[in-house]
Amino acid sequence: MATTTRPIDARGWLFEVQDISASTETWLRIGMLTSFSHNPGENEETEETTSFDDEGHFSQDVMQRGATIELESKYAVDKTGVQDAGQAYVDNVWAYRLGVDSHNPVRWRHRSQTKWVVWDATCTPGEQGGGTNEKTSWSATVTRCGKPTTAPVTPPAGGGS
């Protein structure tokens, strides 16, 4: 019998940022996501290598690889006004760091996957806004720095993602 493949739901993707100020490894889920866009070709640089020997056909080498993830969400707070932990870390901690301190680990995967993709990354906070009959938006762009790695999915203490 042939295996049937099916598309996966976009809502099954999980994105987490590591709280590097915590005394133990702590990952904070970025909540209330409404969409994301992964661009694996962002910041790619190429060098044209076409020569007379190519007889009129283009040739190039990739000299640099890059990637970004754009996250869109609703600005989320609990009943006491405390912002979603992942959003708050991005907004209040990560977004203000400069230079080498601007780097922070992030990880992401689909619920159906057994490994996280882990990036050393920088973050650009996005616009927030909304209209009369809308919820407030939240967004951020995460830019990969260096080569991505992977990590196995292990159940966190107390359950969760």
Side-chain angles (χ1 to χ4, degrees):
M1 176 184 252
T3 302
T4 303
T5 58
R6 301 281 305 150
I8 58 176
D9 295 338
R11 69 176 51 129
W13 288 93
L14 305 168
F15 298 87
E16 296 182 346
V17 59
Q18 187 176 10
D19 180 349
I20 60 174
S21 65
S23 58
T24 60
E25 184 175 330
T26 303
W27 290 91
L28 306 170
R29 183 176 164 270
I30 300 173
M32 296 297 294
L33 290 176
T34 55
S35 69
F36 77 96
S37 177
H38 173 225
N39 183 346
E42 186 72 21
N43 299 316
E44 181 179 275
E45 295 288 338
T46 61
E47 173 69 20
E48 182 180 343
T49 59
T50 307
S51 70
F52 295 159
D53 295 337
D54 293 319
E55 300 175 353
H57 295 278
F58 178 80
S59 183
Q60 74 174 16
D61 288 341
V62 176
M63 303 302 291
Q64 171 181 296
R65 298 282 186 191
T68 60
I69 296 175
E70 293 183 23
L71 301 172
E72 293 184 8
S73 182
K74 300 297 183 188
Y75 188 97
V77 297
D78 67 15
K79 291 179 182 181
T80 65
V82 175
Q83 187 181 11
D84 171 83
Q87 290 181 9
Y89 185 85
V90 170
D91 289 349
N92 303 313
V93 179
W94 194 4
Y96 289 99
R97 298 192 318 232
L98 302 171
V100 70
D101 294 332
S102 68
H103 290 244
N104 203 97
V106 295
R107 67 184 185 182
W108 53 282
R109 70 176 178 92
H110 191 269
R111 291 185 193 278
S112 64
Q113 297 173 331
T114 59
K115 288 186 179 180
W116 291 100
V117 175
V118 182
W119 288 0
D120 172 44
T122 59
C123 178
T124 303
E127 295 180 7
Q128 295 177 0
T132 301
N133 294 317
E134 299 172 340
K135 300 293 185 180
T136 302
S137 63
W138 181 92
S139 63
T141 300
V142 176
T143 301
R144 190 184 78 213
C145 299
K147 190 174 180 178
T149 60
T150 61
V153 173
T154 55
S161 60

